[in-house]
Amino acid sequence: MENAYVIGLLGTLYCIDANRIEGINRHQLLLLNPHPAAKKIDKTLDDFSPDNISAFPAALTHLSSLMLENKITAPTSIQNIFLRGDFLQNSQRALIENVFKKISIELGYGLGEFGRIGNLCTFLAKKYGLSAFHPVQYRRLIELADIDENGYGEIVATSFGNPATCLIRYRTGDVGRVLQEECECGKKFTLILTGRKNFDYVKCAGAMLVRQELERVLTSLKDYIEEWRAETREVLNGVRIVGEITLKIKVTSGYAVLANPKEFIRAEVEKNLFLTPTHTLANLISSGAFLPLKIEQADSFPETKKPLLLRRVD
Ligand SMILES: [Zn+2]
């Protein structure tokens, strides 16, 4: 995944180079702190009147919330929004579109150290949402490695071109699957991104759900829970994105002996599960950043060699 400093540096170098080639100074870059003060952004954005915005989805979502809350309208100069570095959820897109109305949003899949891996396509977005891309074919070879029985594998990328800087079979740490069907745009391959390798953690609403931490909490409840899976989503609540965790559990015979089993499990997990170094799920629920934990009972889970314990859903 990309680093904000790398993007800032790349943008600066691009502007210097473009100004040099064209003999002008029109190419300029404004670096915005993802958590700016509302008073400042209003004036800064107006003064700078940007043509384009380039941002991480989470940073632009945060900026959009702030603008909506403070009734700041987007500068009319903006023509394009380029999002990169992370997945874009539907709730985030809705919030961004609420502020930046009809401005076109371009979302590519790439890595700072490698460059572009996949391109977005409007037909794909309609059919599969925003995590589907056509792999870049120009000077690139994109493959899947270690494919499991369900067709999911690690995305591995090779770049050709300058021999000094090309990367051979670079392991991205991202997991996806490939669809071999012809898209309406004519492309024959589609890459669907599903998450990070090993799924050891998922980011959600500014917090992080870590598998080990969840295991720690659920191990203390092993008298009631035999097996579990967890899903996180982000939902739009007013002008804010809030997190929601769903815990699916296969229960033991001890579960039914509890007076109020679901409530008991919910309270225990909310109270003990840390989603930031200092905040539990209960803390984040009371501050309005998360919705109460959802618990669903399951009779069984599909049998796979490496079960997917943690998942982010849209
Ligand atoms: Zn297409």
Side-chain angles (χ1 to χ4, degrees):
M1 292 285 155
E2 304 194 22
N3 175 314
Y5 296 106
V6 174
I7 294 181
L9 185 60
L10 278 176
T12 311
L13 291 174
Y14 168 80
C15 288
I16 293 171
D17 200 39
N19 285 333
R20 189 183 54 81
I21 292 168
E22 295 171 39
I24 54 171
N25 61 6
R26 161 120 182 67
H27 297 283
Q28 292 180 14
L29 187 77
L30 170 73
L31 283 175
L32 263 194
N33 175 337
H35 298 275
K39 259 189 280 169
K40 273 200 185 153
I41 9 170
D42 198 5
K43 192 168 169 345
T44 312
L45 279 182
D46 265 353
D47 286 351
F48 193 75
S49 71
D51 302 321
N52 304 304
I53 291 184
S54 177
F56 290 122
L60 192 59
T61 307
H62 182 80
L63 183 69
S64 303
S65 293
L66 206 64
M67 289 172 75
L68 280 175
E69 275 171 358
N70 293 281
K71 303 197 167 53
I72 299 171
T73 50
T76 49
S77 57
I78 301 172
Q79 290 157 20
N80 296 293
I81 292 175
F82 302 101
L83 293 177
R84 50 201 284 177
D86 207 347
F87 306 107
L88 178 71
Q89 305 227 329
N90 285 331
S91 53
Q92 292 179 320
R93 190 189 184 99
L95 188 57
I96 292 169
E97 282 177 343
N98 202 338
V99 177
F100 297 95
K101 313 275 179 217
K102 285 183 184 141
I103 300 165
S104 86
I105 298 179
E106 256 192 55
L107 179 86
Y109 163 50
L111 301 168
E113 65 277 29
F114 183 87
R116 186 60 71 95
I117 291 176
N119 289 320
L120 197 70
C121 155
T122 44
F123 299 111
L124 279 186
K126 249 185 241 157
K127 206 166 167 188
Y128 298 109
L130 299 163
S131 300
F133 304 93
H134 291 309
V136 176
Q137 285 174 320
Y138 179 68
R139 291 184 165 177
R140 297 269 192 275
L141 180 69
I142 313 297
E143 306 166 87
L144 285 188
D146 308 330
I147 300 174
D148 71 9
E149 64 263 44
N150 299 315
Y152 293 94
E154 182 176 356
I155 297 164
V156 173
T158 299
S159 65
F160 308 104
N162 182 352
T165 57
C166 62
L167 287 166
I168 312 284
R169 294 214 152 137
Y170 183 74
R171 293 218 163 219
T172 62
D174 291 329
V175 171
R177 66 193 169 95
V178 166
L179 291 179
Q180 289 188 48
E181 60 177 30
E182 191 166 334
C183 178
E184 277 183 66
C185 74
K187 296 251 163 52
K188 296 203 167 64
F189 284 93
T190 297
L191 191 61
I192 302 208
L193 262 179
T194 49
R196 295 286 294 168
K197 202 177 158 189
N198 299 329
F199 298 93
D200 279 339
Y201 64 89
V202 273
K203 286 191 265 177
C204 181
M208 202 184 273
L209 178 59
V210 180
R211 183 174 53 90
Q212 271 178 316
E213 169 62 4
L214 192 54
E215 264 167 4
R216 179 189 70 81
V217 174
L218 295 176
T219 303
S220 70
L221 298 167
K222 66 178 186 319
D223 289 345
Y224 318 107
I225 299 173
E226 193 181 311
E227 220 184 315
W228 59 272
R229 302 286 186 272
E231 286 177 359
T232 67
R233 2 184 339 244
E234 288 181 341
V235 287
L236 195 55
N237 191 1
V239 298
R240 286 273 160 194
I241 301 271
V242 295
E244 184 181 63
I245 300 173
T246 303
L247 188 62
K248 298 184 176 177
I249 51 174
K250 185 180 166 190
V251 301
T252 64
S253 52
Y255 182 84
V257 181
L258 292 167
N260 247 326
K262 226 181 204 181
E263 274 314 307
F264 171 77
I265 302 282
R266 187 201 322 278
E268 283 298 306
V269 175
E270 288 180 353
K271 187 176 71 186
N272 294 306
L273 179 69
F274 278 89
L275 294 183
T276 78
T278 50
H279 290 91
T280 60
L281 176 56
N283 297 145
L284 294 174
I285 292 168
S286 58
S287 70
F290 268 75
L291 295 173
L293 178 71
K294 261 191 174 173
I295 294 180
E296 288 174 11
Q297 231 175 293
D299 295 332
S300 65
F301 293 109
E303 270 184 48
T304 50
K305 262 187 261 160
K306 269 199 231 158
L308 209 65
L309 297 175
L310 223 53
R311 229 157 59 98
R312 182 163 147 164
V313 294
D314 225 354

